[in-house]
Each structure stands twice: as structure tokens, then as C-alpha cells.
Amino acid sequence: MEPRDLSSHTVYQAGRGIEEVARELGLDPDDLVKLASNENPFGPSPAAVAAIEDAAGSAHSYPKASHADLTEKLADEWGVAPEQVWLGNGGDGVLDYLARAMLEPGDEVLVPEPGFAYYGMSARFHHGEVAEYHLSKDDDFALNSETVLSDYDGQRIVYLTSPHNPTGKRFELDAIEEIADETGDDALVLVDEAYGEFHDGPSAVELLETRDDVAVLRTFSKVYGLAGVRLGYGVVPEEWADAYARVNTPFAASEVACRAGLAALDDDDHAERTVETAAWSREYMYEDVDAHTWESHANFVLAEVGDAAGVADELQRRGIIVRDCTSFGLPECVRITCGTKDETRRAVSELNEVLSS
Ligand SMILES: *Cc1c(COP(=O)(O)O)cnc(C)c1O
């Protein structure tokens, strides 16, 4: 007995955790700063923490009401019908639902390279094939319609990340529309806005007013600080929104997650503080890192440091965990999450010491 042929499947490489690194290096976890997974440096919204504590006592029942409440609240915020909001177990769970809803075996999808590994993984789980469009460092990783369309060849799903991980660049809405116009009638343009809250520009959700071929992904993992509860959602066109009922896992998001999400949405202070600090931290890194950085619209900055694996290793010995971007195909870059002001200052100072030695 064996599983099906999984040889083309890759394994997701998450940023390293504090406990893992502390144990390996014999350091105190409290002395480590983790800036490797774009998590919220302030932790979860305190309102969400209280809601999680409250929800503990109702963990025995299926999350029927909370699931509906959160869906309705999000629908209200975005001005769409509740059916158009697809909750999932993290944004990643929503990527799975969309692949499940769209792909016939052998259908191809188009993903960015460098880019978020889970797009291709999810498509392969659903018996899809994966092609790439290429972002070029020579071009400062520019995101425009030509970059995507020059590699488009009839794929069923085109994944756009805006702001992009790991570069921090973003698409203008015009470019997204152009891509949707130029791709096939049955092509879905999936705009991943996992970092959408970190810039002021309009969301691609606007495009759903007039189009049936664009869907948008959002998550509670980044700005709301709820990566550990696993909660995300898609906003999809009304025309096929009812597909959710046919592809989702029953009770896609847990009672605890839904209650946490509902509370976090009302905690403007936490979200504002997170977004403002990230903006400060980005500027600080552009100014003070002694290496080339790219302007970012997200809660991280990509820096060209030479030997990324070596630099990340040495930084880790100094208690700073950053993301070596070798697995993204950028062995000369590290991605540094925006920490608190203190964390950012400490990370930059250690990085500069490593770079000068
Ligand atoms: C973090 C992230 C997601 C979603 O992560 P979840 O924790 O599963 O919600 C999606 N896309 C990109 C590009 C991300 O960086």
C-alpha cells in the first residue's frame, strides 16, 4: 500500500519558530526575536484574546451561529452578500476551496515565481498542474499586467499576490482588471490580499461589483495577529458563490476562530497600532539597513544581503530569526518582518554588524 504519486509535491517550509531555534541553540526563548513569518509583533488583538477565553466553554458545540455571524459581519463590511464570503481554516484553507471549486484533473494554474508556495501545492493536491510567471529582480520585481500575461497560456486560475510575498510590491487595480480582461473566459484571477491592510490602496473586492472572474483572499493571520487560530476568508463573485456549500469542509472555521475573528474586527486600536508600527518599521529598514531593500506595502521588507543562508544563520545565533529566501528562489535575500520599534532597531543593528563582518 502506498499513497498516490506525490513526487511532484513540495513540502511547505514555514519560517522557524522561537522554541525550535531556542532549543537548538540553547538560548532562552525570551531573548529571541522572531521576524520570520510576518506575524503580528503585538500578539493577538486583546479583544480577540478575551473572546477566545469566553468561547472555551462552548467548544463542545459546532460553530453554527458564530460561523454565520462572522460571515454576515464580513459581508456587511465589504458590501457583498453573505454567500460571497467563504470562511476557511486560514487563507490557505480558502485557497484549497477555490482550487476544489475550479479545477478539473489536469487543469493548469499560473503562479508567481518567486512567490507563495502554497498556491502550487494546493493546485497539485487538487490534481492540477502548475506553471509560473516570473518576477525579475532586474525589474525590481515589478507587478504589472505584462509580467503576468506574457506567461499566460490558458490557465484556469491565475494567482496574484498584492502586496506580494516576499517582495512587498503590489498591483494597481487597473493591472488586475487588464489581466482579468485578457485571460480566458473561464480563468479565475485570484487576488491574494493577505497583507491588504498594510497599505491604503483600494481592495480588488471593488472589481467584484462588475466582474465574475475575480476573487479576493484575506486573512486574520497578519494584521489581526491570529495566525495561531487559523482563520481566513475569500470574497467571491455572486454568480458562483453558492459553490462554497458544495466544496467546503463542514464548519470550515472553528467556534474559537470565529469568536476571535468577530472580536478582532471591532478592535480598531490594535489594527491601527499594527499598521502604523509596520509603516514606521519599513521606513526604518529602508533608511538604516546597510544593504539594498525594496519598497514594501506589507509588514516585511526584503533585503539583498549576499549569502542569505549564512546571514540568517549568524543572525539567529545573535537571537534574531529572519526568513532566508532561498526557498523562494532568492538565495541572496532575507525577508525581515516588521517588529515593534525595539525589535526592529535591534534586528537592524545586528544585521548591520553581520553584514560588516
Ligand atoms: C500569510 C499568507 C497567507 C495566508 O496565511 P493563513 O495563515 O493561511 O491565513 C496567504 N498568502 C500569503 C502570500 C501569505 O503570506
Side-chain angles (χ1 to χ4, degrees):
M1 214 293 297
E2 277 189 33
R4 67 184 170 107
D5 179 8
L6 298 171
S7 54
S8 67
H9 291 238
T10 46
V11 177
Y12 184 80
Q13 294 182 25
R16 305 193 64 203
I18 284 194
E19 282 77 18
E20 183 190 350
V21 172
R23 226 171 284 148
E24 185 186 304
L25 299 176
L27 298 173
D28 182 344
D30 290 342
D31 293 339
L32 291 176
V33 176
K34 186 185 175 199
L35 302 175
S37 297
N38 303 337
E39 292 150 335
N40 191 314
F42 298 117
S45 141
V49 173
I52 289 169
E53 284 166 0
D54 281 351
S58 44
H60 62 295
S61 41
Y62 286 109
K64 189 122 201 287
S66 58
H67 208 276
D69 289 351
L70 178 57
T71 303
E72 263 167 44
K73 190 174 176 74
L74 289 167
D76 221 45
E77 293 210 344
W78 288 109
V80 299
E83 295 70 37
Q84 292 176 260
V85 175
W86 292 19
L87 295 186
N89 186 41
D92 298 343
V94 179
L95 290 172
D96 281 346
Y97 293 150
L98 287 164
R100 244 185 243 178
M102 292 298 144
L103 299 181
E104 299 282 358
D107 278 354
E108 200 167 89
V109 305
L110 188 64
V111 307
E113 160 67 32
F116 189 55
Y118 197 68
Y119 304 143
M121 294 171 65
S122 173
R124 288 191 179 100
F125 297 156
H126 296 89
H127 305 274
E129 311 276 334
V130 181
E132 294 172 341
Y133 62 92
H134 297 275
L135 310 178
S136 153
K137 197 163 78 179
D138 298 338
D139 201 11
D140 272 335
F141 303 111
L143 294 177
N144 51 50
S145 54
E146 301 87 74
T147 307
V148 179
L149 292 170
S150 62
D151 286 313
Y152 177 74
D153 185 24
Q155 283 86 7
R156 178 75 157 119
I157 307 178
V158 177
Y159 294 85
L160 310 180
T161 322
S162 183
H164 190 269
N165 179 6
T167 67
K169 301 276 155 187
R170 69 184 202 89
F171 283 96
E172 299 293 335
L173 282 199
D174 288 352
I176 297 172
E177 273 207 282
E178 225 169 282
I179 293 164
D181 282 338
E182 298 296 320
T183 48
D185 286 345
D186 68 345
L188 172 67
V189 175
L190 174 43
V191 187
D192 179 348
E193 295 184 342
Y195 302 96
E197 293 86 354
F198 291 99
H199 74 89
D200 302 328
S203 164
V205 171
E206 270 182 25
L207 304 177
L208 274 61
E209 279 168 32
T210 54
R211 313 194 65 103
D212 67 358
D213 56 354
V214 173
V216 179
L217 183 79
R218 290 260 169 167
T219 179
F220 285 82
S221 294
K222 309 285 158 56
V223 78
Y224 297 112
L226 294 173
V229 310
R230 314 302 302 128
L231 182 64
Y233 61 98
V235 186
V236 312
E238 201 157 19
E239 286 81 349
W240 46 269
D242 59 353
Y244 182 61
R246 297 169 197 271
V247 298
N248 80 340
T249 312
F251 307 106
S254 77
E255 173 74 11
V256 172
C258 291
R259 292 291 169 212
L262 280 161
L265 285 175
D266 282 335
D267 190 349
D268 293 337
D269 289 348
H270 177 264
E272 274 169 29
R273 179 176 180 222
T274 302
V275 169
E276 281 167 14
T277 306
W280 176 91
S281 175
R282 290 191 306 245
E283 292 293 332
Y284 188 88
M285 288 195 253
Y286 308 150
E287 287 288 316
D288 285 59
V289 169
D290 294 333
H292 181 67
T293 53
W294 283 269
E295 188 191 10
S296 165
H297 300 280
N299 65 341
F300 55 81
V301 168
L302 187 71
E304 185 166 19
V305 295
D307 168 21
V311 168
D313 242 32
E314 180 52 35
L315 269 179
Q316 197 167 281
R317 267 191 286 278
R318 295 162 177 254
I320 312 286
I321 313 171
V322 299
R323 183 70 189 259
D324 163 14
C325 289
T326 303
S327 72
F328 283 98
L330 298 171
E332 68 286 17
C333 294
V334 294
R335 191 193 65 197
I336 309 164
T337 301
C338 296
T340 60
K341 291 186 178 178
D342 281 351
E343 287 170 345
T344 303
R345 287 193 195 100
R346 186 177 149 202
V348 170
S349 135
E350 295 287 356
L351 173 59
N352 286 343
E353 277 187 32
V354 171
L355 289 172
S356 70
S357 65

